[in-house]
Each structure stands twice: as C-alpha cells, then as structure tokens.
Amino acid sequence: MDFIGRFEEIAGALKALAGTEKMGKIIVYTPPEKKDEPETCGYMEEGIIRRYYAGKDCHIYSNYPESSREISFHKEKEDRIIKNCLRKDRGTGKNQKKKKISRKKDNWKKRKEKSRLPEGYTLRPAVQADASAMASLYSQGFELYPTPLHMENYILETMHSNVLYFLVEKYGKIVSLASAEMDPKNRNAEITDCLTIPSERGKGHMKELIRALEKELSERSFLISYTLCRASAPGINAAFSSLGYAFTGRLVNNCRIGNGFEDMNIWCRML
C-alpha cells in the first residue's frame, strides 16, 4: 500500500498487523525525503533501487518481528558471488563512469545488433497462446514462488496488465523466459521471472532476454530497469553484472523461492 504521512503514524499498525498475521519481515520502500523516518522506528536499510521514483532513488528498509528471519544463512557464499561478479566486471577494463557516458550510444548500437543466439533458437515476445507452456515450465522450475506463475490464467491476466514476457525457443520449444513488470507512473521496470531449463543453462539465453526487455523498455521511455535476483545463484547475478547493472544491496530472507526464504540481491541500471 502507499502511505504519504509520517512513517511513525503507521509503524505501530504495521507491527500489529505483522503480529496478527505472523509475518516475519516488514519491508518499506521509501523516497529520499522520507528515508530517515523508518530508521527512527527501528528499521534498517538493506538496499537502494536507483531512480525508482521517476528519477529519484528508493531506499528499502526492513524490520524483523521474527528475529530468526534476520539471519542470512548463506552470507559467505553470497558475498563470494558478488565479489566474483564485480571482479569480472572490473576485468573488462570499462569503469562505471565510462559506461554511463557511452550508455546512450551503446543502446543505439544494440538495437542494430542481431540476436547472438545460435541457429535453431528464436527470441520473441510471448503471446497468449504461449501461456499454457509457460505455466508448465515455471511449475517445473520453481517449487515455490512469490507469484502463481504455474497458473495459466495468472500469466494471461498479467499479459493484459503491465507485464512484458519474452522467451527463447529451440526449434519451437520454450527453453528460457523472463519478464518485465512495468511501473509506467514512476517509469521503472523490474526484470523478473527469469528461468532457463537445466539443459540450456550457460548458453547466454538470459542475457539475450534481458537485452530484449531493455530495448523494449527504452523504446517506451522507461528510465531504469532493476532486478531482485537470488543471491545464491551465480549465473543470474553474473548475467546482470556483465550487462552493466550496479549491485545496490541485499534483502535478507526476502521471499519464498525453491525450498524456502532466500536472500535477494538488488541490481539496477539506467536505460
């Protein structure tokens, strides 16, 4: 929900609701001018989404009514993944300043480039006729997920709202897919629902999907794209890092994916 008053006016209600519903974590998205208010109420900042509010940063604060939820059980592994991503990024010899200066030029260049997919593979926007196969693929790929992607009706419904789905096919069979949840008011979009079947991983499909989504978002005048991706998954973090996304925080035990709650890394990029 959206709230425009002082945070202390709603902090008590959030705590009470968390107790009633047995919620282990409260998450608050805060604009820059309000970012100090959650901290005074016992919240801690976990990350930032750059330019989230139509060009202004979003500060993400969390509070843990359930103390065990605050513990990151795989912190060392997740830190190593980020360290490796950033090391590889530095190894390209392109610093962030140069990337920002040349980004507009690079975007135009990318629009002219053909897909890097091998012969037999096709990248395209998903259509209604794909919904059943997409739902089946998602149900196989995720035991648990924050949204009901295993339901064909849900995918069809989101296709008609502000969600873009793109997919990669191999000789007509879907092997990889991702989406962008668009916020037209604030001109941001979250790259999410990323999945590649096991036999096709490591072939660069996800990077191509992300590029395609970015291109479409840029043409629609969105300002930024960002993602909250599984902190323990090296491949997806490496994909976003290699495409020029900046790591801006980690949300501990943030959502249910796979076998339970997982930490999520935040990656952002200006379009």
Side-chain angles (χ1 to χ4, degrees), residues 10-170:
I10 198 175
L14 289 174
K15 184 177 181 179
L17 178 62
T20 301
E21 300 295 332
K22 301 187 184 307
M23 297 176 181
K25 182 175 184 177
I26 305 171
I27 307 164
V28 178
Y29 282 41
T30 312
E33 63 271 19
K34 298 277 188 178
K35 70 183 185 68
D36 295 329
E37 295 182 15
E39 191 171 334
T40 62
C41 296
Y43 285 67
M44 63 179 182
E45 187 172 12
E46 289 194 307
I48 297 174
I49 302 177
R50 300 293 184 193
R51 309 297 185 262
Y52 180 89
Y53 293 110
K56 296 192 299 183
D57 291 350
C58 169
H59 298 259
I60 303 177
Y61 282 84
S62 298
N63 182 273
Y64 295 87
E66 183 181 314
S67 58
S68 61
R69 181 87 177 264
E70 188 176 356
I71 301 170
S72 176
F73 295 100
H74 306 287
K75 185 178 185 302
E76 290 185 4
K77 175 186 176 182
E78 294 164 359
D79 286 347
R80 284 197 303 271
I81 289 172
I82 291 298
K83 186 176 181 180
N84 289 337
C85 287
L86 299 180
R87 182 187 296 121
K88 290 177 182 178
D89 189 47
R90 286 195 298 270
T92 63
K94 299 177 181 179
N95 60 41
Q96 290 298 317
K97 185 175 181 180
K98 288 182 179 178
K99 286 180 181 178
K100 289 179 181 179
I101 293 172
S102 63
R103 185 162 293 154
K104 186 173 182 180
K105 182 178 179 181
D106 288 345
N107 282 343
W108 281 107
K109 182 180 178 182
K110 285 177 183 177
R111 292 184 189 190
K112 297 177 182 179
E113 290 177 351
K114 293 183 179 180
S115 172
R116 299 171 177 83
L117 295 173
E119 184 179 352
Y121 291 83
T122 304
L123 188 155
R124 63 173 176 82
V127 295
Q128 293 184 38
D130 298 312
S132 177
M134 292 168 63
S136 177
L137 202 63
Y138 278 125
S139 66
Q140 295 171 41
F142 298 119
E143 292 182 37
L144 294 171
Y145 201 71
T147 56
L149 286 171
H150 62 286
M151 298 174 59
E152 179 181 352
N153 287 343
Y154 174 80
I155 292 176
L156 288 170
E157 180 182 337
T158 54
M159 280 182 175
H160 291 295
S161 59
N162 286 315
V163 181
L164 289 172
Y165 291 95
F166 273 71
L167 55 84
V168 172
E169 292 178 314
K170 181 180 182 181

Side-chain angles (χ1 to χ4, degrees), residues 162-229:
N162 286 315
V163 181
L164 289 172
Y165 291 95
F166 273 71
L167 55 84
V168 172
E169 292 178 314
K170 181 180 182 181
Y171 296 112
K173 181 181 179 181
I174 301 173
V175 297
S176 187
L177 62 172
S179 74
E181 293 187 9
M182 299 177 290
D183 179 352
K185 177 182 176 181
N186 289 304
R187 297 168 68 190
N188 72 60
E190 179 184 0
I191 307 294
T192 185
D193 306 333
C194 301
L195 178 66
T196 301
I197 65 172
S199 61
E200 292 290 327
R201 291 173 186 167
K203 298 182 180 181
H205 300 334
M206 193 53 60
K207 288 174 69 172
E208 291 302 307
L209 285 167
I210 295 168
R211 287 189 180 104
L213 287 166
E214 287 179 340
K215 177 177 179 290
E216 183 66 27
L217 292 168
S218 180
E219 290 175 350
R220 297 187 185 204
S221 299
F222 280 77
L223 296 175
I224 69 115
S225 62
Y226 70 96
T227 192
L228 309 180
C229 68

Side-chain angles (χ1 to χ4, degrees), residues 243-254:
L243 290 172
Y245 283 71
F247 172 67
T248 56
R250 180 178 301 148
L251 309 178
V252 175
N253 290 319
N254 203 66

